[in-house]
Amino acid sequence: MKKALITGITGQDGSYLAEFLLAKGYEVYGIIRRSSSFNTGRIDQIYEDPHVPNPHLRLVFGDLNDASSLNRILRTVQPDEIYNLGAQSHVRVSFDIPEYTAEVTGVGTIRLLEAIRESGLTPKFYQASSSEMFGKVQDVPQRETTPFYPRSPYGAAKVYSYWITVNYREGYNLFACNGILFNHESPRRGETFVTRKITKAAARIKLGVQEHLFLGNLDAKRDWGFAGDYIQAMWLMLQADVPDDFVIATGETHTVKEFLEVAFGRLQLNWRNHVKIDPKYYRPTEVDLLIGDASKARHVLGWEPKVKFEELAAMMVDADLSLERERLEGAQPKKA
């Protein structure tokens, strides 16, 4: 039985990846930070899944800001594969907490790579890189050879993580890969991210519990895919014979306005009647266009996205509508 270690297991990608690896017979270890409240909602369903009555899932306390915990976990778990998904991943928030973003998203990666090197173990390593590294894009579409031009503290931290992963691969012969993932969404997306913010608001407006949605730049163009498709690409990279870096994307770009049209249209709503622009949601430096060329991943890994843009938006709206209905029903006083 292979062992996989996942940082960021409680996030969107980590939860999908954990399910995927468990279904393939892995023993999965997830690093979680110690706090006064639990944040395991996205992986709780693994324990409730009747098809996985005794999941080989273990949660261990650690932190990308704490090298000693990473060294201890590696010595104890001795994983075959490591997926570094942990980060402060909200781009707009990275302008408010740039130093913390750099520590976790950037320096956290080298702490983990150093822990691998010092342990003497030879796990395969996956680094979650980001399309935000391209920022002020130099090529359209963006591919593995496109120069980076990050436009946020988050993007800059991810560029550091990318290059330090390449350095450790070349300098210490580690099997280390960068997955340059473009925007990927799902019903498990955090509620502060624009796509989930839209689908949740649409559901609440449909049910009459919310009237307006406040957003920033509606003209920003993004390459949106389904997180459940993208985590398979992560795994495929670590099954390859040679470590390499890959762009993972759909090859289509859509504006925030288009996402609004599909999401609100799913519920027979006109988004223009409900959306208001709030300048506080604008970034100091904007990324106007992202569209990826995943032809290398298609040819080398045999990976292709399955869920289309309209399907993705509909999936998220339907999930949020069900969730909000459950919340409303739970808020109703019980009849005598």
Side-chain angles (χ1 to χ4, degrees), residues 34-306:
R34 181 72 179 92
S35 68
S36 59
S37 60
F38 289 105
N39 183 32
T40 58
R42 293 185 180 93
I43 55 175
D44 287 343
Q45 76 277 357
I46 293 175
Y47 294 100
E48 298 167 3
D49 187 343
H51 302 294
V52 191
N54 295 297
H56 296 283
L57 175 61
R58 306 286 182 268
L59 300 179
V60 293
F61 288 120
D63 198 311
L64 287 171
N65 268 342
D66 178 16
S68 64
S69 69
L70 299 177
N71 279 279
R72 172 181 51 79
I73 290 167
L74 281 184
R75 288 195 305 270
T76 304
V77 175
Q78 299 188 17
D80 300 288
E81 297 172 2
I82 297 174
Y83 297 85
N84 184 30
L85 312 184
Q88 190 301 101
S89 59
H90 198 289
V91 179
R92 178 62 189 84
V93 171
S94 76
F95 287 98
D96 300 323
I97 49 172
E99 186 177 341
Y100 176 77
T101 299
E103 275 291 335
V104 177
T105 309
V107 182
T109 302
I110 197 170
R111 291 192 184 102
L112 191 49
L113 287 167
E114 269 294 279
I116 294 170
R117 187 181 69 83
E118 291 175 357
S119 72
L121 301 172
T122 56
K124 294 183 176 182
F125 178 79
Y126 171 84
Q127 169 59 27
S129 291
S130 169
S131 59
E132 288 288 332
M133 300 188 305
F134 295 121
K136 189 175 181 180
V137 299
Q138 306 299 293
D139 292 327
V140 178
Q142 295 86 56
R143 50 184 64 87
E144 291 81 5
T145 55
T146 300
F148 299 139
Y149 196 141
R151 299 271 282 173
S152 67
Y154 170 78
K158 282 292 187 181
V159 169
Y160 175 81
S161 285
Y162 173 93
W163 281 118
I164 203 64
T165 298
V166 172
N167 271 251
Y168 272 63
R169 178 172 70 214
E170 296 176 353
Y172 301 111
N173 200 30
L174 296 183
F175 192 109
C177 302
N178 280 291
I180 308 173
L181 272 58
F182 280 63
N183 293 66
H184 46 290
E185 320 296 318
S186 76
R188 299 181 194 174
R189 189 58 145 152
E191 295 181 1
T192 60
F193 289 83
V194 67
T195 51
R196 184 72 194 289
K197 191 175 177 182
I198 289 170
T199 59
K200 181 182 178 183
R204 289 172 60 81
I205 289 168
K206 182 67 175 180
L207 295 172
V209 295
Q210 183 173 329
E211 186 176 356
H212 295 115
L213 167 62
F214 295 90
L215 295 173
N217 182 11
L218 303 187
D219 295 318
K221 294 180 178 179
R222 293 293 183 269
D223 185 328
W224 277 303
F226 174 49
D229 289 342
Y230 284 35
I231 57 95
Q232 297 181 35
M234 301 177 188
W235 178 77
L236 286 169
M237 288 180 212
L238 298 197
Q239 312 317 305
D241 294 330
V242 179
D244 206 345
D245 308 317
F246 296 89
V247 162
I248 304 298
T250 69
E252 296 181 9
T253 190
H254 299 273
T255 63
V256 175
K257 195 177 295 183
E258 287 178 81
F259 197 96
L260 280 166
E261 289 171 352
V262 175
F264 276 71
R266 178 76 174 175
L267 300 177
Q268 293 79 51
L269 295 170
N270 185 342
W271 67 268
R272 296 178 188 276
N273 296 333
H274 304 281
V275 173
K276 295 183 180 296
I277 302 301
D278 188 336
K280 77 177 182 181
Y281 293 115
Y282 280 93
R283 302 179 187 178
T285 48
E286 184 58 77
V287 174
D288 298 315
L289 167 67
L290 290 175
I291 178 171
D293 176 2
S295 56
K296 180 179 175 181
R298 185 166 58 251
H299 294 142
V300 177
L301 304 177
W303 178 87
E304 287 193 64
K306 299 180 180 67

